[in-house]
Amino acid sequence: MDDTTPDNAEPAQSDAIDFDLLDELFRADDLEQQASGLARVVLSVFEHYYARSRHIPELAKAAFETRNWRETVRLSRHRLTIYAAYLDQLTPVLRSGLPEVATDESLWELAEREFLAAIFHRYEADFAFAFWHSLRRVLLENEWRPIAYDSGAAEGRFRCVAETVIGTLHGALPIDADLIRQVLDVPGLDAQWRDIEDDARRVAQIVAAMLQRLEPHDGEPVRIEMANAGFYRNRGATLIGRIHLPPRSDGSPRQMPLMIALLNGHDGIFVDAVLCESDEIQYAFSSTLANYHATNPYYHELAQFLAELMPKRPLGLHYSTIGFHHLGKVAVMKELLGDHARGETLDTAPGFRGTVAIGFSMPSSRYVLKIIRDRPTEGYKWGEFAGLNSVLDKYRLGHEMDRAGSMLDNIIYSNVKLDRAMFAPSLLDELLEAGVETVSLERGAVVFKHLIVQLKLTPLPLFLASASHDEARTAVINLGDCIKNNAAANIFNKDLDGRNYGVSGILKVYLFDYDAVEPLTEVKVRTNADREPGEEDIPDWYFEDGTIFLPEETISGLRIDDARLRRMFLDAHPDITTVAYWEAMQQALREGKVPPVRSYPAARRLRRD
């Protein structure tokens, strides 16, 4: 069932609003009744949304089991958009039936107390409160009032029992196939395996080899902790956990992360890769269309567990990885405020000055903040500037498209204010001068109509200038993977300049500048390779409209100065410079196929074929 879309039973969005509750709200004739009614209506809509969003991981699991790749893509897009869809459905109804919601602060204050009381004992209280604030922001859009983005209220009062999130398996060294077989059973997959016994044996051998760094001894007890969930994304499924051996004599732990990547081929499910290094697991759990769809509902504990396995990736991004972007936004903002509380100040980010965006950061922060300029600086390459909103739309699209693990998450805040003391004076002057449409001052605060936050990277040219030979080689090879993964997701960066790509702490390469992004299927792939030497006639493609791409110019466009690194790039990715590669990718995308992406090192695959 590779290309069919089943009639999966999803709750209908159309019946999200309880019109009996809505009628009570509209008939209320005093402020307290209106506040109580507003709280109940919003909670009812949130409950409908939350039930629907929690159903999606089970649908993603079923899509993996049935090899329905189109459905996996649809579900990822669906999950990213339904939050806004519910808000969009509720907002006009409230505006028309209760105009006070756009103006009356006392109504909101009373209603918020009612809402908080109603959600107090719920696990998802903080998520419900995020939904409440999102609705309030949308309703107040016409009368712009910036609100500090720190809920400070509902924090999910109760946590679940740990065993519901982490399952523990016990055995002894050496780890055998029977114990690994129990690990493979964790997600409860309902589909045929190609050869699960052989996979279990191979995985056990790999894990035993990787455990050697912990100086294991035969007969020692071993404990494997696994997240009680399957994680589904694109064509794959993932199991994630860690292995514990008894501590060393000095009390220090002996433990190793474990990730098992599954694929489902025509002849059944099989283990594709085994990863036991934190950096490599982070490589696989990095930015994408989102969401790993995790079948376990306890998002706080899952995010914390992922953060323990991948400590270089901030907690806020782990929330986003499993689809809880709004909670991730709160966690990211809290981390930024914490960086400032330690005495750091925002200043211009190191690297190349953007023609369209201004980037700024704090020295030890893990994030870069951006605004879009009102107009580009000199050196802008793309003719007439389409305007601030056009660029913002591309950054928003970057949030909704399948980023294939090779485009940075865009965390976009609206109507947020930060203490003026957080900013270096020269940076603040530049922001106010170049971002009149976006930045203003208000009583000691800097107010951002739109603020983009991304994970901090080292721009590729800066990285290559100081990297070791091995690090540089890894980076340029990963650059090719980045370009190919984006192509597989129908993403084409017409500005292939290496300064638009960044290198993370684990040497993964990402595209982080989106103002030149276009759908690959709309690009016209042409070539000059068939022209005779010395031929002076203007090529026919010169007169075509739209985005023209000449694959043979890829290397010169990337501006990799070192000839050895250019050869390494071409050795690893010779197809990137050919018309055939790009046209084949376009054809696959136009046919509705879902090309695979590389989300972990090829060396970790169980079988190299």
Side-chain angles (χ1 to χ4, degrees), residues 539-555:
D540 292 340
W541 58 258
Y542 185 83
F543 300 99
E544 295 187 60
D545 294 329
T547 299
I548 307 297
F549 171 50
L550 307 178
E552 65 265 26
E553 294 184 359
T554 299
I555 289 294

Side-chain angles (χ1 to χ4, degrees), residues 352 459-466 472 476 479 496-499 554-570:
F352 305 95
L460 181 66
L462 289 183
F463 178 85
L464 295 178
S466 59
V476 297
L479 170 64
L496 280 171
D497 191 320
R499 291 175 293 186
T554 299
I555 289 294
S556 60
L558 289 171
R559 299 190 184 185
I560 301 174
D561 296 331
D562 190 314
R564 294 175 303 168
L565 293 178
R566 291 198 297 271
R567 284 195 295 272
M568 291 175 185
F569 180 91
L570 287 171

Side-chain angles (χ1 to χ4, degrees), residues 438-450:
T438 300
V439 188
S440 60
L441 294 178
E442 180 188 289
R443 297 180 183 178
V446 183
V447 179
F448 294 89
K449 191 173 182 181
H450 307 287

Side-chain angles (χ1 to χ4, degrees), residues 292-546:
Y292 270 106
H293 300 293
T295 52
N296 193 304
Y298 298 110
Y299 50 84
H300 287 296
E301 289 76 7
L302 282 179
Q304 185 59 48
F305 187 56
L306 294 175
E308 292 171 7
L309 298 177
M310 297 164 269
K312 294 180 183 178
R313 183 166 172 81
L315 177 63
L317 297 188
H318 286 298
Y319 277 106
S320 297
T321 295
I322 56 175
F324 291 85
H325 300 280
H326 298 278
L327 301 184
K329 290 174 74 170
V330 173
V332 168
M333 187 56 70
K334 286 183 176 179
E335 185 174 346
L336 287 167
L337 296 175
D339 292 337
H340 174 61
R342 290 192 295 273
E344 297 198 19
T345 302
L346 288 161
D347 207 342
T348 304
F352 305 95
R353 306 286 289 212
T355 59
V356 173
I358 300 174
F360 47 103
S361 184
M362 288 175 271
S364 65
S365 176
R366 295 191 280 186
Y367 300 98
V368 170
L369 291 70
K370 286 183 176 182
I371 69 160
I372 305 303
R373 299 176 185 270
D374 296 339
R375 60 191 60 83
T377 63
E378 292 184 12
Y380 183 65
K381 302 177 180 179
W382 311 114
E384 183 178 353
F385 183 55
L388 167 68
N389 290 331
S390 175
V391 177
L392 283 171
D393 284 344
K394 291 197 174 186
Y395 276 84
R396 292 189 185 102
L397 181 62
H399 172 67
E400 296 176 4
M401 65 173 54
D402 185 346
R403 297 185 299 279
S406 294
M407 293 176 73
L408 278 188
D409 292 303
N410 294 316
I411 305 169
I412 303 178
Y413 296 90
S414 299
N415 305 344
V416 64
K417 60 182 177 181
L418 301 174
D419 193 322
R420 182 171 182 167
M422 293 180 66
F423 297 82
S426 59
L427 169 64
L428 184 55
D429 289 344
E430 182 181 13
L431 295 176
L432 292 170
E433 181 181 352
V436 173
E437 296 184 38
T438 300
V439 188
S440 60
L441 294 178
E442 180 188 289
R443 297 180 183 178
V446 183
V447 179
F448 294 89
K449 191 173 182 181
H450 307 287
L451 180 66
I452 301 166
V453 179
Q454 295 179 327
L455 190 67
K456 185 185 288 184
L457 302 176
T458 303
L460 181 66
L462 289 183
F463 178 85
L464 295 178
S466 59
S468 69
H469 176 271
D470 288 343
E471 289 174 336
R473 179 181 183 277
T474 299
V476 297
I477 292 173
N478 289 346
L479 170 64
D481 288 336
C482 171
I483 294 170
K484 286 181 172 179
N485 283 350
N486 288 337
N490 200 21
I491 298 163
F492 180 75
N493 174 32
K494 65 183 179 182
D495 189 3
L496 280 171
D497 191 320
R499 291 175 293 186
N500 294 320
Y501 296 85
V503 185
S504 72
I506 60 170
L507 303 186
K508 186 165 185 178
V509 176
Y510 299 88
L511 174 65
F512 62 80
D513 199 337
Y514 296 169
D515 61 279
V517 164
E518 306 285 349
L520 176 59
T521 48
E522 296 181 11
V523 173
K524 297 176 181 178
V525 180
R526 302 292 184 259
T527 183
N528 283 336
D530 55 357
R531 292 171 62 81
E532 295 295 329
E535 189 174 343
E536 297 181 357
D537 290 345
I538 297 175
D540 292 340
W541 58 258
Y542 185 83
F543 300 99
E544 295 187 60
D545 294 329

Side-chain angles (χ1 to χ4, degrees), residues 158-212:
F158 298 96
R159 295 290 179 260
C160 64
V161 178
E163 288 75 10
T164 63
V165 177
I166 308 299
T168 304
L169 306 171
H170 296 275
L173 294 181
I175 288 179
D176 59 21
D178 289 340
L179 185 57
I180 296 299
R181 173 64 188 272
Q182 295 178 56
V183 171
L184 298 180
D185 287 337
V186 164
L189 294 169
D190 185 19
Q192 176 183 332
W193 279 74
R194 178 184 293 177
D195 189 341
I196 194 170
E197 303 300 338
D198 184 58
D199 280 352
R201 178 182 58 80
R202 289 172 179 258
V203 173
Q205 292 173 345
I206 292 171
V207 170
M210 297 300 291
L211 278 173
Q212 291 305 307

Side-chain angles (χ1 to χ4, degrees), residues 1 23 49 87 105 133 135 145 155 162 187 249 287 304 332 367 374 378 387-388 409 428 465 526 528-529 553 598-599:
M1 197 187 326
D23 185 59
Y49 156 74
L87 294 174
E105 289 287 352
H133 261 300
L135 176 66
R145 301 178 185 179
E155 291 288 349
S249 58
S287 309
Q304 185 59 48
V332 168
Y367 300 98
D374 296 339
E378 292 184 12
L388 167 68
D409 292 303
L428 184 55
R526 302 292 184 259
N528 283 336
E553 294 184 359
R598 174 172 292 178
S599 59

